Amino acid sequence: MALGRAPARKDRAAFPGRGRLFTALLLVVFLIAAAGCAPGQSQRSQSDSGGQVTLRVSTWGNDSRLKLTQQAVDAFTAANPDIKVTVENNDWTAYWDKLATMTAGDNSPDVIQMDESYIAAYGARDALLDLGKVKDNLDLSAMNANVLDTGKVGGTLVGAPIGVANFSIGVNPEVLKKAGVSMPNDKTWTWDQFAQVAAQVTGKLGSQGVYGLDGFGTAAAELGAWARQKGEEVWPTEGPGVSQATITSFFDYANKLVAMKATPPAGRQVENATAVLDQSLFATNKAAFHLLFHTQISAFGTASGTEMKLLRIPAQAAAEPPKMVDKASMYWSVSSRSKHAEAGARLIDFLLTDPAATKILVTERGIPAIPAVQKEIAPLLDPQAKIALEFSQSIAPELVPPPQVTPPNASGFSAEFTPVGTDVLFGRSSPADGATKVLAIIQSMK
């Protein structure tokens, strides 16, 4: 999936950015309110037994993902001749527009590929099935509990995590070597040390259009990581929410990077953040470092022709941990109004656990969320994908519990945060003013 500049632009086939579908989602609210009862209760009473069942599955992604998904689905139907499956695929933007319209029109697909930024928007409005009701057909017991919990909305499991991703630092060893800069020790480095190393690279190679870090300060994922290290969360379930002081310090650091020439000037950062991945600074060997969700590293490695490495994000201080978390790359959900919920659950179980599917899909939707599946597919991975898998496994003991998923009314937070961060970089807003604007956005979305 990603997930360009990963947090802001992302390779949307893997880790899409936040959306803009509030109007359509309001239709979902209207539909469910008009129903007068929990969606799908009467429709799910129809049995999946007694004749062939046809499932509709909605996905987003490029042609490569669609091809692999179809192969895995074909393996499922071969093993389950009583079930026919139709895959409906769209690009990122069209996907959410169409899904909202279909949901409002009581025509949802049976099995839905779901993203972290939308799962609460749908789950909190009862558009997604409680997967506990189909546990006889969908066994998720082998999944790490912290990962599984990322599929819960209001304590109810409405999404089965497909894969995991860690917000981290991608690094181009060849650029570092060319600059005469040693690979940092990511078990001890701090954000200040990161800035110094990035500035060294720009100092050595800036005349060739090469920067240490390609950008910082406009991505919600960056702020989320920064706040967590300060003991806060943008969307807390308990404990303090992100503070004015923390957001201000985040923007101060972004400006410091520009002043040190560790990152490009604001205009170049914006240009890079909106470029397609293959033309971005990191993908064209014009940046040593790039913040990303770690499974994106394969796409950048392919584009650059360089075997990239992965590093932990820096900590606020040398004695402090980076407080990294697992993020669900995406989920499989079942529509609460599906007439074939049990068959949908069987399909999801097959895609997540059966070697006939997992050995086709491998890391297409992130590092598999089930450890046993990770072990199973490891021999099939190319060198760059193995780096991503091994990184994920190496940091697993250090991870802290992930935050709640994006709240129902906050799917557009990332899209609204980016312009504020951009104004700060350009000097149109001070860091303190930017923090005030971000807090106002957060408040409006609660």
Side-chain angles (χ1 to χ4, degrees):
M1 301 205 36
L3 299 200
R5 177 141 172 241
R9 179 178 68 240
K10 297 185 179 180
D11 168 14
R12 291 179 174 175
F15 294 95
R18 303 298 186 256
R20 54 174 178 73
L21 305 179
F22 297 113
T23 301
L25 285 174
L26 286 176
L27 295 175
V28 178
V29 179
F30 175 80
L31 169 70
I32 294 169
C37 64
Q41 285 184 339
S42 61
Q43 297 193 39
R44 284 202 308 274
S45 64
Q46 178 175 334
S47 173
D48 284 335
S49 62
Q52 188 175 64
V53 167
T54 298
L55 291 176
R56 292 168 53 221
V57 179
S58 63
T59 67
W60 73 78
N62 57 24
D63 290 343
S64 175
R65 171 179 293 165
L66 176 58
K67 180 179 178 180
L68 293 174
T69 302
Q70 189 62 61
Q71 290 175 7
V73 165
D74 289 345
F76 171 78
T77 55
N80 297 270
D82 58 322
I83 302 176
K84 179 180 178 181
V85 180
T86 300
V87 179
E88 303 172 1
N89 190 72
N90 287 279
D91 64 31
W92 169 255
T93 301
Y95 179 85
W96 296 107
D97 287 336
K98 186 174 181 180
L99 180 62
T101 301
M102 289 190 297
T103 303
D106 198 11
N107 187 35
S108 296
D110 298 284
V111 176
I112 303 168
Q113 186 174 297
M114 185 56 61
D115 179 65
E116 183 275 340
S117 57
Y118 286 102
I119 192 168
Y122 281 84
R125 294 174 173 90
D126 295 322
L128 304 178
L129 180 71
D130 175 0
L131 297 181
K133 296 180 178 181
V134 289
K135 60 183 179 181
D136 289 345
N137 294 285
L138 176 57
D139 182 6
L140 301 174
S141 61
M143 193 176 295
N144 178 279
N146 282 338
V147 175
L148 186 61
D149 284 350
T150 66
K152 291 182 177 179
V153 174
T156 300
L157 185 68
V158 295
I162 301 173
V164 295
N166 308 113
F167 192 56
S168 53
I169 305 289
V171 56
N172 187 321
E174 295 303 316
V175 172
L176 288 184
K177 182 178 179 180
K178 189 175 180 181
V181 175
S182 300
M183 183 72 69
N185 182 349
D186 67 333
K187 292 185 178 181
T188 61
W189 69 342
T190 66
W191 287 104
D192 284 341
Q193 291 169 342
F194 180 38
Q196 293 166 8
V197 172
Q200 289 174 22
V201 174
T202 308
K204 293 288 183 66
L205 303 176
S207 62
Q208 302 172 38
V210 178
Y211 297 92
L213 173 63
D214 55 0
F216 187 91
T218 63
E222 297 165 353
L223 176 63
W226 188 273
R228 188 169 305 114
Q229 292 181 346
K230 296 282 190 176
E232 303 169 359
E233 290 287 354
V234 176
W235 308 111
T237 49
E238 56 185 26
V242 65
S243 65
Q244 173 93 19
T246 290
I247 304 173
T248 300
S249 70
F250 171 81
F251 286 138
D252 280 335
Y253 182 75
N255 282 343
K256 173 184 174 180
L257 291 173
V258 175
M260 294 175 63
K261 298 184 178 179
T263 54
R268 186 70 179 96
Q269 287 195 46
V270 171
E271 178 185 335
N272 182 62
T274 55
V276 297
L277 186 147
D278 289 356
Q279 297 175 16
S280 65
L281 290 170
F282 192 58
T284 55
N285 301 300
K286 294 293 185 180
F289 301 108
H290 172 74
L291 286 149
L292 79 177
F293 287 98
H294 83 290
T295 52
Q296 294 174 266
I297 203 68
S298 291
F300 284 106
T302 298
S304 67
T306 302
E307 187 174 282
M308 304 291 196
K309 302 297 182 182
L310 288 160
L311 301 175
R312 296 166 177 82
I313 59 172
Q316 293 290 330
E320 297 176 358
K323 295 184 178 179
M324 295 173 66
V325 299
D326 271 333
K327 173 193 179 294
S329 57
M330 57 188 76
Y331 309 85
W332 287 121
S333 295
V334 176
S335 169
S336 63
R337 291 182 169 264
S338 172
K339 297 178 181 179
H340 309 297
E342 291 82 5
R346 285 168 60 188
L347 172 61
I348 294 173
D349 187 85
F350 187 91
L351 295 176
L352 292 180
T353 66
D354 196 295
T358 58
K359 289 185 177 181
I360 292 172
L361 298 170
V362 286
T363 60
E364 173 56 35
R365 287 180 170 86
I367 300 299
I370 298 174
V373 176
Q374 295 178 12
K375 183 177 180 180
E376 181 180 84
I377 68 167
L380 306 176
L381 301 181
D382 61 39
Q384 193 69 81
K386 284 182 179 179
I387 287 172
L389 174 59
E390 290 168 0
F391 177 79
S392 182
Q393 293 172 334
S394 69
I395 66 171
E398 309 166 14
L399 300 178
V400 300
Q404 67 166 319
V405 295
T406 301
N409 297 322
S411 294
F413 175 68
S414 181
E416 293 197 33
F417 175 80
T418 296
V420 178
T422 301
D423 282 346
V424 173
L425 285 179
F426 275 102
R428 296 190 287 256
S429 292
S430 69
D433 287 343
T436 299
K437 293 176 183 176
V438 171
L439 288 175
I441 294 170
I442 292 172
Q443 187 61 37
S444 73
M445 292 180 173
K446 288 183 177 178

